[in-house]
Structure formats: C-alpha cells, structure tokens
Amino acid sequence: MILNVFLCHLWGDSSQHTFASEINQFLLNKGILTWFNDVDPNGAEKQDIVEGASRCRVLVVLVSSEFLLYHATFVEFQLAKKKLSKRCVF
C-alpha cells in the first residue's frame, strides 16, 4: 500500500506528539493516508520505520529545537531525505 505522508516528530516531547497526533488525525479525516508512530518509539523497530518511510510519498518533519538535538528523530529525517529520496516538508 502506498501512503501519502510520513510524519516525523520528536515523540518524547508530549506537546509535539500531541500536535503531531492532531495533524495525523486531520490528514486522515481528509482521506490522506499516513504513517504515524503513535506508540513509544523504543518499541518500534528501526526496520518498521524504514518500511513506513519507504511506502510514503512525502516526509513531513515537525521541527523543534529539541528535535534537532535528539539523534533518533534526526536519523529518521536523514534516512527519508537522502537514502529514500523523499520530498520533505518542514
């Protein structure tokens, strides 16, 4: 299944996760299919994230100063942008 949007955000920041959840729900309500990790990312295997990103057309990055400091979210961004050649929206 091809998905439209991969939402990349800092999961540990509750305000950013809440905002990302609201964006995800908005997109779903508009009929836009998303890949969104709604569980603790420590439980998500890297392969699941890679697979999710590879099935999406666009990567939406919800950037905050904390996002830029947290290695795992930056790795998601780098993977989608460079290795998978995905279009990114900031």
Side-chain angles (χ1 to χ4, degrees):
M1 171 195 298
I2 299 280
L3 300 173
N4 298 103
V5 177
F6 180 95
L7 291 173
C8 183
H9 69 290
L10 179 58
W11 200 93
D13 180 333
S14 63
S15 63
Q16 191 171 101
H17 184 72
T18 299
F19 181 65
S21 295
E22 291 169 358
I23 290 173
N24 183 58
Q25 193 57 53
F26 175 81
L27 293 171
L28 292 173
N29 289 342
K30 298 291 182 185
I32 298 171
L33 299 176
T34 64
W35 191 95
F36 178 69
N37 187 12
D38 202 24
V39 297
D40 186 335
N42 291 328
E45 295 295 323
K46 185 176 181 178
Q47 185 58 36
D48 293 339
I49 294 169
V50 170
E51 183 181 328
S54 69
R55 294 185 338 201
C56 293
R57 294 181 181 156
V58 176
L59 170 69
V60 173
V61 183
L62 303 175
V63 179
S64 66
S65 56
E66 293 82 9
F67 174 93
L68 297 173
L69 296 174
Y70 189 68
H71 181 70
T73 53
F74 191 71
V75 168
E76 285 180 30
F77 163 72
Q78 291 290 78
L79 170 74
K81 178 66 178 156
K82 294 192 178 184
K83 292 188 179 179
L84 300 175
S85 300
K86 297 296 177 174
R87 291 181 291 166
C88 294
V89 178
F90 298 91

Coordinates of all heavy atoms in Angstrom, one line a residue:
M1 N 0.8 -1.2 0.0 CA 0.0 0.0 0.0 C 0.9 1.2 0.0 O 1.8 1.4 0.8 CB -0.9 0.0 1.2 CG -1.6 1.3 1.4 SD -2.4 1.6 3.0 CE -3.5 0.3 3.2
I2 N 0.6 2.2 -0.9 CA 1.3 3.4 -1.0 C 0.6 4.4 0.0 O -0.6 4.6 0.0 CB 1.3 4.0 -2.4 CG1 2.0 3.1 -3.4 CG2 1.9 5.4 -2.4 CD1 3.4 3.2 -3.4
L3 N 1.4 5.0 0.9 CA 0.9 6.0 1.8 C 1.3 7.4 1.3 O 2.3 7.5 0.5 CB 1.5 5.8 3.2 CG 1.2 4.4 3.8 CD1 1.9 4.2 5.1 CD2 -0.3 4.3 4.0
N4 N 0.6 8.4 1.7 CA 0.9 9.7 1.2 C 1.9 10.4 2.1 O 2.8 11.1 1.5 CB -0.4 10.6 1.2 CG -1.4 10.0 0.2 OD1 -2.4 9.4 0.7 ND2 -1.2 10.2 -1.0
V5 N 1.8 10.3 3.4 CA 2.6 11.2 4.3 C 3.2 10.4 5.4 O 2.6 9.6 6.1 CB 1.8 12.3 4.9 CG1 2.6 13.2 5.9 CG2 1.2 13.2 3.8
F6 N 4.5 10.6 5.6 CA 5.2 10.0 6.8 C 5.5 11.2 7.7 O 6.1 12.2 7.4 CB 6.6 9.5 6.4 CG 7.4 8.9 7.5 CD1 7.4 7.5 7.7 CD2 8.3 9.7 8.2 CE1 8.2 7.0 8.7 CE2 9.1 9.1 9.2 CZ 9.0 7.8 9.5
L7 N 4.9 11.1 8.9 CA 5.0 12.2 9.9 C 6.2 11.9 10.8 O 6.2 10.9 11.5 CB 3.8 12.3 10.8 CG 2.5 12.9 10.0 CD1 1.3 12.8 10.9 CD2 2.8 14.3 9.6
C8 N 7.2 12.8 10.8 CA 8.4 12.6 11.6 C 8.4 13.7 12.7 O 8.3 14.9 12.4 CB 9.6 12.8 10.7 SG 11.2 12.5 11.5
H9 N 8.5 13.3 14.0 CA 8.4 14.3 15.1 C 9.2 13.7 16.3 O 9.5 12.5 16.3 CB 7.0 14.6 15.4 CG 6.3 13.4 16.1 ND1 5.9 12.3 15.4 CD2 5.9 13.2 17.3 CE1 5.3 11.4 16.2 NE2 5.3 12.0 17.4
L10 N 9.4 14.5 17.2 CA 10.0 14.1 18.5 C 9.0 13.5 19.4 O 8.1 14.2 19.9 CB 10.7 15.3 19.2 CG 11.4 15.0 20.5 CD1 12.5 13.9 20.3 CD2 12.1 16.3 21.0
W11 N 9.0 12.2 19.5 CA 8.0 11.5 20.3 C 8.0 11.9 21.8 O 6.9 12.0 22.4 CB 8.1 10.0 20.1 CG 6.9 9.3 20.4 CD1 5.9 8.9 19.5 CD2 6.4 8.8 21.7 NE1 4.9 8.3 20.2 CE2 5.2 8.2 21.5 CE3 7.0 8.9 23.0 CZ2 4.5 7.6 22.5 CZ3 6.3 8.3 24.0 CH2 5.0 7.7 23.8
G12 N 9.1 12.0 22.4 CA 9.2 12.2 23.8 C 8.7 13.5 24.3 O 8.4 13.7 25.5
D13 N 8.6 14.5 23.4 CA 8.0 15.8 23.7 C 6.5 15.7 23.6 O 6.0 15.7 22.6 CB 8.6 16.8 22.8 CG 8.1 18.2 23.1 OD1 7.0 18.4 23.6 OD2 8.8 19.2 22.7
S14 N 5.8 15.7 24.8 CA 4.4 15.4 24.8 C 3.6 16.5 24.0 O 2.7 16.2 23.3 CB 3.8 15.3 26.2 OG 4.0 16.5 26.9
S15 N 4.1 17.8 24.1 CA 3.3 18.8 23.3 C 3.5 18.6 21.8 O 2.6 18.7 21.0 CB 3.8 20.2 23.7 OG 5.1 20.4 23.4
Q16 N 4.7 18.2 21.4 CA 4.9 18.0 20.0 C 4.2 16.7 19.5 O 3.7 16.7 18.4 CB 6.4 17.9 19.6 CG 6.6 17.9 18.1 CD 8.1 18.0 17.7 OE1 8.7 17.0 17.3 NE2 8.6 19.2 17.7
H17 N 4.2 15.7 20.4 CA 3.5 14.4 20.0 C 2.0 14.7 19.9 O 1.3 14.2 19.0 CB 3.8 13.3 21.0 CG 3.1 12.0 20.6 ND1 3.6 11.3 19.5 CD2 2.0 11.4 21.1 CE1 2.8 10.2 19.4 NE2 1.9 10.3 20.3
T18 N 1.5 15.5 20.8 CA 0.0 15.8 20.7 C -0.3 16.6 19.4 O -1.2 16.3 18.7 CB -0.4 16.7 21.9 OG1 -0.2 15.9 23.1 CG2 -1.8 17.1 21.9
F19 N 0.6 17.6 19.1 CA 0.4 18.3 17.9 C 0.5 17.4 16.6 O -0.3 17.5 15.7 CB 1.5 19.4 17.8 CG 1.4 20.3 16.6 CD1 0.3 21.1 16.4 CD2 2.4 20.3 15.7 CE1 0.3 21.9 15.2 CE2 2.4 21.1 14.5 CZ 1.3 21.9 14.3
A20 N 1.5 16.5 16.6 CA 1.6 15.6 15.5 C 0.4 14.7 15.4 O -0.1 14.4 14.3 CB 2.9 14.7 15.7
S21 N -0.1 14.2 16.6 CA -1.3 13.4 16.6 C -2.5 14.2 16.0 O -3.3 13.6 15.2 CB -1.7 13.0 18.0 OG -0.7 12.2 18.5
E22 N -2.6 15.4 16.3 CA -3.7 16.3 15.7 C -3.5 16.4 14.2 O -4.5 16.3 13.5 CB -3.7 17.6 16.4 CG -4.2 17.5 17.8 CD -4.0 18.8 18.6 OE1 -3.5 19.8 18.0 OE2 -4.4 18.9 19.8
I23 N -2.3 16.6 13.7 CA -2.1 16.7 12.3 C -2.4 15.4 11.6 O -3.0 15.3 10.6 CB -0.6 17.1 12.0 CG1 -0.4 18.6 12.4 CG2 -0.3 16.9 10.5 CD1 1.1 19.0 12.3
N24 N -2.0 14.3 12.2 CA -2.3 13.0 11.7 C -3.8 12.8 11.6 O -4.3 12.3 10.5 CB -1.7 11.9 12.6 CG -1.9 10.5 12.0 OD1 -1.5 10.2 10.9 ND2 -2.5 9.7 12.8
Q25 N -4.5 13.1 12.6 CA -6.0 12.9 12.5 C -6.6 13.8 11.5 O -7.5 13.4 10.8 CB -6.6 13.2 13.9 CG -8.1 12.7 14.0 CD -8.2 11.3 13.7 OE1 -7.5 10.4 14.3 NE2 -9.0 10.9 12.8
F26 N -6.1 15.1 11.4 CA -6.6 16.0 10.3 C -6.4 15.4 8.9 O -7.3 15.4 8.1 CB -5.9 17.3 10.4 CG -6.3 18.3 9.3 CD1 -7.4 19.0 9.4 CD2 -5.4 18.4 8.3 CE1 -7.8 19.9 8.4 CE2 -5.7 19.3 7.2 CZ -6.9 20.0 7.3
L27 N -5.2 14.9 8.7 CA -4.9 14.3 7.4 C -5.8 13.1 7.1 O -6.3 12.9 6.0 CB -3.4 13.9 7.3 CG -2.4 15.1 7.3 CD1 -1.0 14.6 7.4 CD2 -2.6 15.9 6.1
L28 N -5.9 12.2 8.1 CA -6.8 11.0 7.9 C -8.2 11.4 7.6 O -8.9 10.8 6.8 CB -6.7 10.1 9.2 CG -5.4 9.4 9.4 CD1 -5.4 8.8 10.8 CD2 -5.0 8.5 8.3
N29 N -8.7 12.4 8.3 CA -10.1 12.9 8.1 C -10.3 13.4 6.7 O -11.4 13.4 6.1 CB -10.5 14.0 9.1 CG -10.7 13.4 10.5 OD1 -10.8 12.2 10.7 ND2 -10.6 14.3 11.5
K30 N -9.2 13.9 6.1 CA -9.2 14.4 4.7 C -9.0 13.3 3.7 O -8.9 13.5 2.5 CB -8.2 15.5 4.5 CG -8.4 16.7 5.3 CD -9.6 17.4 4.9 CE -9.8 18.7 5.7 NZ -11.1 19.4 5.3
G31 N -8.8 12.0 4.2 CA -8.6 10.9 3.3 C -7.2 10.7 2.9 O -6.9 10.0 1.9
I32 N -6.2 11.4 3.6 CA -4.8 11.2 3.3 C -4.2 10.2 4.2 O -4.3 10.3 5.4 CB -4.1 12.6 3.5 CG1 -4.7 13.6 2.5 CG2 -2.6 12.5 3.3 CD1 -4.3 15.1 2.8
L33 N -3.7 9.1 3.5 CA -3.1 8.0 4.3 C -1.7 8.4 4.9 O -0.9 9.0 4.2 CB -2.9 6.8 3.4 CG -4.2 6.3 2.8 CD1 -3.9 5.1 1.9 CD2 -5.2 5.8 3.9
T34 N -1.5 8.1 6.1 CA -0.3 8.5 6.8 C 0.4 7.3 7.4 O -0.2 6.2 7.7 CB -0.5 9.5 7.9 OG1 -1.3 8.8 8.9 CG2 -1.3 10.7 7.4
W35 N 1.7 7.5 7.7 CA 2.5 6.6 8.6 C 2.8 7.4 9.8 O 3.5 8.4 9.7 CB 3.8 6.0 7.9 CG 4.4 4.9 8.7 CD1 4.2 3.6 8.5 CD2 5.3 5.1 9.9 NE1 4.9 2.9 9.4 CE2 5.6 3.8 10.3 CE3 5.8 6.1 10.6 CZ2 6.4 3.5 11.4 CZ3 6.6 5.9 11.7 CH2 6.9 4.6 12.0
F36 N 2.3 7.0 10.9 CA 2.5 7.8 12.1 C 2.7 6.8 13.3 O 1.9 5.9 13.5 CB 1.2 8.7 12.4 CG 1.3 9.5 13.6 CD1 2.2 10.5 13.7 CD2 0.4 9.2 14.7 CE1 2.2 11.3 14.9 CE2 0.5 9.9 15.8 CZ 1.3 11.0 16.0
N37 N 3.8 7.0 14.0 CA 4.1 6.2 15.2 C 3.4 6.7 16.4 O 3.8 7.7 16.9 CB 5.6 6.1 15.4 CG 6.0 5.1 16.4 OD1 5.1 4.3 16.9 ND2 7.2 5.1 16.9
D38 N 2.3 6.1 16.8 CA 1.6 6.5 17.9 C 1.9 5.8 19.2 O 1.2 5.9 20.2 CB 0.1 6.4 17.6 CG -0.7 7.4 18.5 OD1 -0.2 8.4 19.0 OD2 -1.9 7.1 18.7
V39 N 2.9 5.0 19.2 CA 3.4 4.3 20.4 C 4.8 4.7 20.7 O 5.5 5.2 19.8 CB 3.3 2.7 20.2 CG1 1.9 2.3 20.0 CG2 4.2 2.3 19.0
D40 N 5.3 4.4 21.8 CA 6.7 4.7 22.2 C 7.6 4.2 21.2 O 7.6 3.0 20.9 CB 6.9 4.1 23.6 CG 8.3 4.5 24.2 OD1 9.2 4.8 23.4 OD2 8.4 4.4 25.4
P41 N 8.4 5.0 20.6 CA 9.3 4.6 19.5 C 10.4 3.6 20.0 O 11.0 2.9 19.1 CB 10.0 5.9 19.1 CG 9.9 6.8 20.2 CD 8.6 6.4 20.9
N42 N 10.6 3.5 21.3 CA 11.5 2.4 21.8 C 11.0 1.1 21.4 O 11.7 0.1 21.3 CB 11.8 2.6 23.2 CG 12.6 3.8 23.6 OD1 13.4 4.3 22.8 ND2 12.3 4.4 24.7
G43 N 9.7 1.0 21.2 CA 9.1 -0.3 20.9 C 9.0 -0.5 19.4 O 8.8 -1.6 18.9
A44 N 9.2 0.6 18.6 CA 9.2 0.5 17.1 C 10.6 0.0 16.6 O 11.6 0.7 17.0 CB 8.8 1.8 16.5
E45 N 10.6 -1.0 15.9 CA 11.8 -1.4 15.3 C 12.3 -0.5 14.2 O 11.4 0.1 13.5 CB 11.7 -2.8 14.7 CG 11.4 -3.9 15.8 CD 12.5 -4.1 16.7 OE1 13.7 -4.0 16.3 OE2 12.3 -4.3 17.9
K46 N 13.6 -0.3 14.1 CA 14.1 0.6 13.0 C 13.6 0.2 11.7 O 13.2 1.0 10.8 CB 15.6 0.7 13.1 CG 16.2 1.6 12.1 CD 17.7 1.7 12.2 CE 18.2 2.7 11.3 NZ 19.7 2.9 11.4
Q47 N 13.5 -1.1 11.4 CA 13.0 -1.7 10.2 C 11.6 -1.2 9.9 O 11.2 -0.9 8.8 CB 13.1 -3.2 10.1 CG 12.8 -3.8 8.8 CD 13.6 -3.2 7.6 OE1 14.8 -3.0 7.8 NE2 13.0 -3.0 6.5
D48 N 10.7 -1.2 10.9 CA 9.3 -0.7 10.8 C 9.3 0.7 10.3 O 8.5 1.1 9.4 CB 8.6 -0.8 12.1 CG 8.3 -2.2 12.5 OD1 8.4 -3.2 11.6 OD2 8.1 -2.5 13.7
I49 N 10.2 1.6 10.8 CA 10.3 3.0 10.5 C 10.8 3.1 9.0 O 10.2 3.9 8.2 CB 11.2 3.8 11.4 CG1 10.5 3.8 12.8 CG2 11.4 5.2 10.9 CD1 11.4 4.3 13.9
V50 N 11.8 2.3 8.7 CA 12.3 2.4 7.3 C 11.3 1.9 6.3 O 11.1 2.6 5.3 CB 13.6 1.4 7.2 CG1 14.0 1.3 5.8 CG2 14.7 2.0 8.0
E51 N 10.5 0.9 6.7 CA 9.5 0.4 5.8 C 8.4 1.4 5.6 O 7.9 1.7 4.5 CB 8.9 -0.9 6.3 CG 7.9 -1.5 5.4 CD 7.3 -2.8 5.9 OE1 8.0 -3.6 6.5 OE2 6.1 -3.0 5.6
G52 N 8.0 2.0 6.7 CA 6.9 3.0 6.7 C 7.4 4.2 5.8 O 6.6 4.7 5.0
A53 N 8.6 4.7 6.0 CA 9.1 5.8 5.2 C 9.2 5.5 3.7 O 8.9 6.3 2.9 CB 10.5 6.3 5.8
S54 N 9.6 4.3 3.4 CA 9.7 3.9 2.0 C 8.4 3.8 1.3 O 8.4 3.9 0.1 CB 10.5 2.5 1.9 OG 9.7 1.5 2.4
R55 N 7.3 3.6 2.0 CA 6.0 3.5 1.4 C 5.3 4.8 1.3 O 4.2 4.9 0.7 CB 5.1 2.5 2.2 CG 5.6 1.1 2.2 CD 4.6 0.2 2.9 NE 3.8 0.9 3.9 CZ 3.2 0.4 4.9 NH1 3.3 -0.9 5.1 NH2 2.4 1.1 5.7
C56 N 5.9 5.9 1.8 CA 5.3 7.2 1.7 C 5.8 8.1 0.6 O 7.0 8.0 0.2 CB 5.5 7.9 3.1 SG 4.6 7.1 4.4
R57 N 5.0 9.0 0.1 CA 5.4 9.9 -1.0 C 6.2 11.1 -0.4 O 7.1 11.6 -1.1 CB 4.2 10.3 -1.8 CG 3.6 9.2 -2.5 CD 2.4 9.6 -3.3 NE 1.9 8.5 -4.0 CZ 0.6 8.4 -4.4 NH1 -0.2 9.4 -4.3 NH2 0.2 7.3 -5.0
V58 N 5.7 11.6 0.8 CA 6.2 12.8 1.3 C 6.6 12.6 2.8 O 5.8 11.9 3.5 CB 5.2 13.9 1.2 CG1 5.7 15.2 1.8 CG2 4.9 14.2 -0.3
L59 N 7.6 13.2 3.2 CA 8.0 13.2 4.6 C 7.7 14.6 5.2 O 8.2 15.6 4.7 CB 9.5 13.0 4.8 CG 10.1 13.1 6.2 CD1 9.6 12.1 7.1 CD2 11.6 13.1 6.1
V60 N 6.9 14.7 6.2 CA 6.6 15.9 6.9 C 7.3 15.9 8.2 O 7.2 15.0 9.0 CB 5.1 16.1 7.2 CG1 4.8 17.3 8.1 CG2 4.3 16.2 5.9
V61 N 8.2 16.9 8.4 CA 9.1 16.9 9.6 C 8.6 18.1 10.5 O 8.6 19.2 10.0 CB 10.6 17.2 9.2 CG1 11.4 17.2 10.4 CG2 11.0 16.2 8.2
L62 N 8.2 17.7 11.7 CA 7.8 18.7 12.7 C 9.0 19.1 13.5 O 9.4 18.3 14.4 CB 6.7 18.2 13.5 CG 5.4 17.7 12.7 CD1 4.4 17.0 13.7 CD2 4.8 18.8 12.0
V63 N 9.6 20.2 13.1 CA 10.9 20.5 13.7 C 10.8 21.4 14.9 O 10.0 22.4 14.9 CB 11.8 21.2 12.6 CG1 13.2 21.6 13.2 CG2 12.0 20.4 11.4
S64 N 11.5 21.1 15.9 CA 11.7 21.9 17.1 C 13.2 21.9 17.5 O 13.9 21.1 16.9 CB 10.9 21.4 18.3 OG 11.4 20.1 18.7
S65 N 13.6 22.8 18.4 CA 15.0 22.8 18.8 C 15.3 21.4 19.4 O 16.5 20.9 19.2 CB 15.3 23.9 19.7 OG 14.4 23.9 20.8
E66 N 14.4 20.8 20.1 CA 14.7 19.5 20.8 C 14.8 18.4 19.7 O 15.6 17.5 19.8 CB 13.6 19.2 21.7 CG 13.5 20.1 23.0 CD 12.7 21.4 22.7 OE1 12.1 21.5 21.6 OE2 12.8 22.2 23.6
F67 N 14.0 18.5 18.6 CA 14.1 17.6 17.5 C 15.5 17.5 17.0 O 16.0 16.4 16.7 CB 13.1 18.0 16.4 CG 13.2 17.1 15.2 CD1 12.4 16.0 15.1 CD2 14.1 17.4 14.2 CE1 12.4 15.2 13.9 CE2 14.1 16.6 13.0 CZ 13.3 15.5 12.9
L68 N 16.1 18.7 16.8 CA 17.4 18.7 16.2 C 18.5 18.1 17.1 O 19.6 17.7 16.6 CB 17.8 20.2 15.8 CG 16.9 20.8 14.8 CD1 17.2 22.2 14.6 CD2 16.9 20.0 13.4
L69 N 18.2 18.1 18.4 CA 19.2 17.6 19.3 C 19.1 16.1 19.6 O 20.0 15.4 20.1 CB 19.1 18.3 20.7 CG 19.4 19.8 20.6 CD1 19.1 20.4 22.0 CD2 20.9 20.0 20.2
Y70 N 17.9 15.5 19.2 CA 17.6 14.1 19.5 C 18.0 13.2 18.3 O 17.5 13.4 17.2 CB 16.2 13.9 19.8 CG 15.8 12.5 20.4 CD1 16.3 12.1 21.6 CD2 15.0 11.7 19.6 CE1 16.0 10.9 22.1 CE2 14.7 10.4 20.1 CZ 15.2 10.0 21.3 OH 14.9 8.8 21.8
H71 N 19.0 12.4 18.5 CA 19.6 11.6 17.4 C 18.6 10.7 16.6 O 18.6 10.7 15.4 CB 20.7 10.7 18.0 CG 21.4 9.9 16.9 ND1 22.2 10.5 16.0 CD2 21.4 8.6 16.7 CE1 22.7 9.5 15.2 NE2 22.2 8.4 15.6
A72 N 17.7 10.0 17.3 CA 16.8 9.1 16.6 C 15.9 9.8 15.6 O 15.7 9.3 14.5 CB 16.0 8.3 17.6
T73 N 15.3 10.9 15.9 CA 14.5 11.6 15.0 C 15.3 12.2 13.8 O 14.8 12.2 12.7 CB 13.7 12.7 15.7 OG1 14.6 13.6 16.4 CG2 12.6 12.2 16.6
F74 N 16.5 12.6 14.1 CA 17.3 13.2 13.1 C 17.7 12.0 12.1 O 17.7 12.2 10.9 CB 18.6 13.8 13.6 CG 19.3 14.6 12.6 CD1 18.8 15.8 12.1 CD2 20.5 14.2 12.1 CE1 19.5 16.5 11.2 CE2 21.2 14.9 11.2 CZ 20.7 16.1 10.7
V75 N 17.9 10.8 12.6 CA 18.2 9.7 11.7 C 17.0 9.4 10.8 O 17.2 9.1 9.6 CB 18.6 8.5 12.6 CG1 18.7 7.2 11.8 CG2 20.0 8.7 13.3
E76 N 15.8 9.4 11.4 CA 14.6 9.2 10.5 C 14.6 10.2 9.4 O 14.4 9.9 8.2 CB 13.3 9.4 11.3 CG 13.0 8.3 12.2 CD 11.7 8.6 13.0 OE1 10.8 9.3 12.4 OE2 11.6 8.1 14.1
F77 N 14.9 11.5 9.7 CA 14.9 12.5 8.7 C 15.9 12.2 7.6 O 15.7 12.3 6.4 CB 15.1 13.9 9.3 CG 15.5 14.9 8.3 CD1 14.6 15.5 7.4 CD2 16.8 15.4 8.3 CE1 15.0 16.4 6.5 CE2 17.2 16.4 7.4 CZ 16.3 16.9 6.5
Q78 N 17.1 12.0 8.1 CA 18.3 11.7 7.1 C 18.0 10.5 6.2 O 18.2 10.6 5.0 CB 19.6 11.5 7.9 CG 20.1 12.7 8.6 CD 20.6 13.7 7.6 OE1 19.9 14.4 7.0 NE2 21.9 13.7 7.5
L79 N 17.4 9.5 6.8 CA 17.1 8.3 6.0 C 16.1 8.6 4.9 O 16.3 8.3 3.8 CB 16.5 7.2 7.0 CG 15.9 6.0 6.2 CD1 17.0 5.1 5.7 CD2 15.0 5.2 7.2
A80 N 15.0 9.3 5.3 CA 14.0 9.5 4.3 C 14.4 10.5 3.2 O 14.1 10.4 2.1 CB 12.7 10.1 5.0
K81 N 15.2 11.5 3.6 CA 15.6 12.5 2.7 C 16.7 12.0 1.8 O 16.6 12.2 0.6 CB 16.1 13.7 3.5 CG 16.7 14.9 2.6 CD 15.6 15.5 1.8 CE 16.1 16.6 0.9 NZ 15.3 16.9 -0.2
K82 N 17.7 11.4 2.3 CA 18.9 11.0 1.5 C 18.8 9.6 0.9 O 19.0 9.5 -0.3 CB 20.2 11.2 2.3 CG 20.4 12.6 2.6 CD 21.8 12.9 3.1 CE 21.8 14.4 3.4 NZ 23.1 14.8 3.8
K83 N 18.6 8.6 1.7 CA 18.6 7.3 1.2 C 17.3 6.9 0.4 O 17.4 6.1 -0.5 CB 18.8 6.3 2.3 CG 20.2 6.4 3.0 CD 20.4 5.3 4.0 CE 21.8 5.5 4.5 NZ 22.1 4.5 5.5
L84 N 16.2 7.4 0.8 CA 15.0 7.1 0.1 C 14.5 8.2 -0.9 O 13.5 8.0 -1.6 CB 13.8 6.8 1.1 CG 14.1 5.7 2.1 CD1 13.0 5.7 3.1 CD2 14.2 4.4 1.4
S85 N 15.3 9.2 -1.0 CA 15.0 10.4 -1.9 C 13.6 10.8 -1.8 O 12.9 11.0 -2.8 CB 15.3 9.9 -3.3 OG 16.6 9.6 -3.5
K86 N 13.1 11.1 -0.6 CA 11.8 11.6 -0.3 C 11.7 13.1 -0.3 O 12.6 13.8 0.1 CB 11.2 11.1 1.0 CG 11.1 9.6 1.1 CD 10.1 9.0 0.1 CE 10.1 7.5 0.1 NZ 9.0 7.0 -0.7
R87 N 10.6 13.6 -0.8 CA 10.3 15.1 -0.7 C 10.0 15.4 0.8 O 9.3 14.6 1.4 CB 9.2 15.5 -1.6 CG 9.5 15.4 -3.0 CD 8.3 15.8 -3.8 NE 7.2 14.8 -3.7 CZ 6.0 15.0 -4.0 NH1 5.6 16.1 -4.5 NH2 5.1 14.0 -3.8
C88 N 10.6 16.5 1.3 CA 10.4 16.8 2.7 C 9.6 18.2 2.8 O 9.9 19.1 2.0 CB 11.7 16.9 3.4 SG 12.5 15.4 3.5
V89 N 8.8 18.2 3.8 CA 8.1 19.5 4.1 C 8.4 19.8 5.5 O 8.2 18.9 6.4 CB 6.5 19.3 3.9 CG1 5.8 20.6 4.3 CG2 6.2 18.9 2.5
F90 N 8.8 21.0 5.8 CA 9.2 21.4 7.2 C 8.2 22.4 7.7 O 7.7 23.2 7.0 CB 10.6 22.1 7.2 CG 11.7 21.2 6.8 CD1 12.1 21.1 5.4 CD2 12.3 20.3 7.7 CE1 13.1 20.2 5.0 CE2 13.3 19.5 7.3 CZ 13.7 19.5 6.0

